[in-house]
Amino acid sequence: MSDISRRQFIKISSAAGGAAALAGGLALTSGGPAEGAVKDPGTQGDKVIPTFCELCFWKCGVLAHVKNGRVTKLEGNPDHPLSNGKLCPRGTGGHGLLYDPDRLKKPLIRAKKRGEDVFQEVSWDTALDKVATGMMDVRKKHGPEALALFTHGFGGSWFKHLFKAYGSNNIAAPSYAQCRGPREVGFYLTFGQGIGSPEAVDARNARCITLIGSHLGENMHNTHVQDLAHALDRGAELVVVDPRFSTVAGKAKYWLPIKPGTDIALLLAWMNVIISEGLYDKDYIAKYAMGLDKLKDHVAAKTPEWAYPLTGLQPSLIRDSARFIASARPASLVHPGRRATWYGDDTQRERAKAMLAALLGSWGRKGGYLLPSSMSVPAFPYTAYGYKPKEVRDRIEPSLYPLADEVLASGMCDATIPGKAKNPIKGWFVYGTNLMQSLPDPRQTIKAIQSLDFMVAIDVMPAEICGWADVVLPESTYLERCDDLWTPAYREPFVAVRQEVVPPMYESKPGWWIAKELGHRMGLSDYFPWKDSKEYAKHRVKAAGMDCEALMKTGVIKGKLTPTTEEEGLTLAFDTPSKKIELWSAQMESLGFHPMPEFTPPEEPPDGHFRLLFGRHPVHTFGRTTNNRFLSQIFDENEVWINADAARALPGFEGRALKTGDRVVLINQDDVKSNPVRVKVTQRIRGDAVYMVHGYGHTAKGLKFARGRGASDSDLVTNYKVDPVMGGTGMNINFVRIERAPARV
Ligand SMILES: Nc1nc2c(c(=O)[nH]1)N[C@H]1C(S)=C(S)[C@@H](COP(=O)(O)OP(=O)(O)OC[C@H]3O[C@@H](n4cnc5c(=O)[nH]c(N)nc54)[C@H](O)[C@@H]3O)O[C@H]1N2
Ligand SMILES: Nc1nc2c(c(=O)[nH]1)N[C@H]1C(S)=C(S)[C@@H](COP(=O)(O)OP(=O)(O)OC[C@H]3O[C@@H](n4cnc5c(=O)[nH]c(N)nc54)[C@H](O)[C@@H]3O)O[C@H]1N2
Ligand code: SF4
Ligand SMILES: [Mo]
């Protein structure tokens, strides 16, 4: 990464506003980014079509400029509440996906053994017949729930519908059990409601923002970063808890370089200070919460001095930061985080965050957690589905965790491995998720896949997962298709539409078309009564009494503002068993769990090993953009962060200490070796952990640009700890040692 781009990306707060400053520095054109360009390239198009982004799951509003039939520029839709006229760097480079020469271009059928990644191009008719036959065979032999749908991304809605019509509700995304599941359950247990996506937190109006591992600014959810920049410009202060001096830690009043895996101890100590010094919101707690006395007892001995040897954080730092956090209440936002699957006790950590937020009185308050509603757009009036949810749950027996409120992707994978489930899963339908990089322990994923009767993958790129499928279907990218309407609950309720910006390239087809064609082949035509997705979407818009023309023209229709906080007139209500904020959870106790979070020390890295941590890079989304040549002009290969003192003390490196740029391999506790990867020797990380950006180390033959660049954290995540409450897979528990990479030949 060049210095110029690093400066731009690190700049979170600026008069121009965070993400805007970032995206503004990335003038991408379809010819590739001009070297260091910071100016608008001036490619105003022949036409401008509003749609929404799919480079990540935030789904910002986009204005796509098209000139001579080519997309020349993508910019933020000023009318869209999730972009406010700005995109993050990834969004501005979305046409790098559209014009990626390595895209899947034709339907493929496996020509050799499963996993050898050798395919034959076939017609759509042949491919669809094969998929429909595969699906019907699984249903005939094993019942409909023996077919599982792994799906991530907005276009998955067509296939969820197809699945329910077919008879299976075994539908899961790795964005639950490998990502935000513990957070949803932790907050649900405390407030009777989860957080959802996009997170409706009021960072914009907060006076103090506490980030526990959430590395906003590297984690680049657009409006979030805009809100953060706005808050900082208004004088808000940050408390950042991270073993790594993250970009955002550089902006913090307090950085707490915590020992990994000990956040519950810190949260208990913070609550100890806030309660014992009477700094909590007494009126709010008296009115809305139950269990304060029990919490008082629970944290009475959990002083900063108690937490010091556990967390490595000085008692004075814990005490001062606690007082500071409390001083800004209720506009004191303890951010809920997003990828919460860290150590296996994650629901409890998230619950501790929720309890702290309750003590600050920030739930349903300005500068804290907003409680917005979504716009009401009636569902399409389909025939009722035939699946029976009860049977579905039985099918995934190994993943039956009492408080899981979604099906677990890891559970469906487990239930596929012979001997693990009473009725194993026999078919996989994989849409828009690269399970080889997103599920823990890829060795198990392969074991599961090898025992399937049938597997289909639908993707836009020849990702690793496609190499294992029997049939691969090339979907059109988000810029070439119309999808369902989107109506999230956000600060400002809205309905957004995704529209075709340019016609599908090659032989790719939109998801709605693929789902409908499969439906016809399986006798499910009744479930696809519309001509195309446009007709479907228009039907829904009309039923909501809205103006289709206006929606297509602007890409978004905003609804009436409703109160989202007490200050705006909202009456707070809690859908917990006690109808109160539950600082003490009878529900947890009755299930045999601690009714309040307890701290259990994490396992220590063995001698000569480091804990493997991973996270995001601002210009990439997982491994899905690492082949995007536009974005890769900014960052094209990950590196392993290692503490400078630890690097000097590494056994075996005497006299020739590691320096930035040296190539190493990482070897984990199960002797799994990474690809060679460069190191970054830095003071910005603790000595007991190493860190890398997720999504590199691709092995798929077809990813001609990304293949072999950097290393994959996923390959090294062979160990994980399952959260007993909801089945999330804690993945920050792997340890690696470091060896020099063999010289390149
Ligand atoms: N080791 C490790 N594991 C992790 C994580 C980690 O950091 N480290 N992160 C976890 C988290 S937070 C999450 S949310 C999950 C995410 O895990 P995944 O859902 O697997 O996410 P992606 O890597 O984005 O996979 C997206 C796939 O969709 C394809 N794709 C992109 N656009 C389209 C489209 O329009 N249509 C179709 N059909 N396909 C498309 C891409 O080419 C790619 O193959 O992974 C989790 N697993
Ligand atoms: N640019 C970009 N942005 C993204 C994504 C992307 O792929 N690219 N993905 C999106 C998705 S789906 C998700 S889920 C989010 C994930 O983003 P977040 O939820 O913000 O982050 P995590 O991946 O949970 O955690 C990464 C951070 O936690 C720190 N950390 C590691 N262990 C510990 C610990 O024990 N304690 C503490 N306090 N900190 C620790 C790491 O050093 C790192 O800074 O990002 C989203 N935003
Ligand atoms: S945050 Fe960036 S990548 Fe994600 S939807 Fe918005 S513009 Fe696209
Ligand atoms: Mo995620």
Side-chain angles (χ1 to χ4, degrees), residues 214-427:
S214 320
H215 54 329
L216 279 183
E218 287 156 287
N219 156 357
M220 203 25 119
H221 284 158
N222 184 7
T223 357
H224 238 104
V225 180
Q226 291 182 29
D227 285 351
L228 183 70
H230 185 85
L232 291 175
D233 285 344
R234 284 181 47 255
E237 299 273 17
L238 296 174
V239 176
V240 174
V241 184
D242 199 311
R244 189 177 63 96
F245 192 68
S246 59
T247 302
V248 74
K251 297 274 165 193
K253 181 176 173 75
Y254 295 100
W255 171 44
L256 289 78
I258 196 166
K259 176 175 171 182
T262 65
D263 298 80
I264 293 183
L266 171 67
L267 285 156
L268 293 174
W270 271 349
M271 289 197 268
N272 166 289
V273 175
I274 289 171
I275 293 177
S276 66
E277 298 188 6
L279 304 177
Y280 61 98
D281 190 332
K282 297 188 184 92
D283 296 339
Y284 182 93
I285 290 289
K287 189 166 170 196
Y288 297 125
M290 55 80 78
L292 179 68
D293 286 343
K294 285 184 170 135
L295 178 59
K296 259 186 197 162
D297 291 347
H298 185 66
V299 299
K302 309 286 193 298
T303 59
E305 287 69 22
W306 165 81
Y308 170 45
L310 306 173
T311 58
L313 302 171
Q314 291 290 340
S316 56
L317 180 57
I318 300 179
R319 198 162 269 120
D320 290 351
S321 52
R323 289 174 184 155
F324 182 73
I325 290 168
S327 71
R329 73 170 171 75
S332 185
L333 172 68
V334 177
H335 194 281
R338 187 166 173 118
R339 190 182 77 81
T341 44
W342 291 357
Y343 300 97
D345 56 359
D346 304 305
T347 302
Q348 291 285 25
R349 185 188 62 252
E350 292 299 312
R351 202 169 123 62
K353 282 187 201 166
M355 288 157 62
L356 176 59
L359 293 176
L360 298 170
S362 64
W363 179 265
R365 290 278 191 77
K366 190 173 172 191
Y369 286 81
L370 302 176
L371 301 171
S373 32
S374 52
M375 266 172 95
S376 151
V377 179
F380 194 91
Y382 288 124
T383 321
Y385 297 128
Y387 72 92
K388 301 186 191 72
K390 175 74 183 64
E391 282 171 24
V392 171
R393 289 236 134 199
D394 286 349
R395 170 74 57 181
I396 51 158
E397 206 166 32
S399 51
L400 266 186
Y401 293 91
L403 289 170
D405 54 2
E406 284 186 27
V407 179
L408 313 175
S410 37
M412 296 201 310
C413 181
D414 272 358
T416 309
I417 297 171
K420 288 221 183 180
K422 204 162 57 197
N423 304 302
I425 284 172
K426 299 302 289 182

Side-chain angles (χ1 to χ4, degrees), residues 297-568:
D297 291 347
H298 185 66
V299 299
K302 309 286 193 298
T303 59
E305 287 69 22
W306 165 81
Y308 170 45
L310 306 173
T311 58
L313 302 171
Q314 291 290 340
S316 56
L317 180 57
I318 300 179
R319 198 162 269 120
D320 290 351
S321 52
R323 289 174 184 155
F324 182 73
I325 290 168
S327 71
R329 73 170 171 75
S332 185
L333 172 68
V334 177
H335 194 281
R338 187 166 173 118
R339 190 182 77 81
T341 44
W342 291 357
Y343 300 97
D345 56 359
D346 304 305
T347 302
Q348 291 285 25
R349 185 188 62 252
E350 292 299 312
R351 202 169 123 62
K353 282 187 201 166
M355 288 157 62
L356 176 59
L359 293 176
L360 298 170
S362 64
W363 179 265
R365 290 278 191 77
K366 190 173 172 191
Y369 286 81
L370 302 176
L371 301 171
S373 32
S374 52
M375 266 172 95
S376 151
V377 179
F380 194 91
Y382 288 124
T383 321
Y385 297 128
Y387 72 92
K388 301 186 191 72
K390 175 74 183 64
E391 282 171 24
V392 171
R393 289 236 134 199
D394 286 349
R395 170 74 57 181
I396 51 158
E397 206 166 32
S399 51
L400 266 186
Y401 293 91
L403 289 170
D405 54 2
E406 284 186 27
V407 179
L408 313 175
S410 37
M412 296 201 310
C413 181
D414 272 358
T416 309
I417 297 171
K420 288 221 183 180
K422 204 162 57 197
N423 304 302
I425 284 172
K426 299 302 289 182
W428 281 16
F429 196 113
V430 183
Y431 175 89
T433 164
N434 190 8
L435 298 174
M436 303 316 299
Q437 285 201 336
S438 51
L439 290 179
D441 199 354
R443 301 169 308 179
Q444 292 222 58
T445 311
I446 291 171
K447 212 177 197 184
I449 290 174
Q450 290 295 23
S451 58
L452 289 171
D453 284 2
F454 172 70
M455 173 170 166
V456 52
I458 304 184
D459 209 300
V460 289
M461 296 298 299
E464 282 73 20
I465 192 68
C466 300
W468 293 91
D470 303 325
V471 183
V472 179
L473 303 177
E475 192 181 22
S476 309
T477 66
Y478 73 104
L479 292 167
E480 303 162 293
R481 64 181 202 243
C482 169
D483 276 324
D484 202 346
L485 303 169
W486 194 43
T487 57
Y490 200 62
R491 185 194 296 272
E492 230 182 322
F494 66 89
V495 53
V497 65
R498 172 171 286 153
Q499 309 194 77
E500 184 182 298
V501 174
V502 286
M505 290 174 71
Y506 317 112
E507 288 184 29
S508 72
K509 293 282 188 188
W512 64 262
W513 181 88
I514 302 173
K516 184 173 154 93
E517 287 293 319
L518 288 173
H520 285 322
R521 283 171 170 76
M522 294 192 291
L524 301 169
S525 297
D526 283 358
Y527 290 94
F528 297 90
W530 31 263
K531 181 169 90 4
D532 55 23
S533 57
K534 233 175 171 170
E535 186 179 293
Y536 162 95
K538 277 187 178 164
H539 188 286
R540 287 193 66 198
V541 178
K542 264 197 204 138
M546 287 186 291
D547 180 350
C548 285
E549 295 288 309
L551 180 58
M552 285 162 61
K553 211 160 147 209
T554 57
V556 64
I557 292 180
K558 288 185 258 194
K560 232 177 70 203
L561 286 176
T562 54
T564 57
T565 57
E566 258 198 337
E567 290 89 336
E568 290 173 355

Side-chain angles (χ1 to χ4, degrees), residues 57 152 174-176 178-180 221 338-340 616 622:
F57 314 105
H152 199 191
S175 53
Y176 182 76
Q178 282 66 51
C179 176
R180 57 185 175 75
H221 284 158
R338 187 166 173 118
R339 190 182 77 81
R616 311 290 173 233
F622 313 117

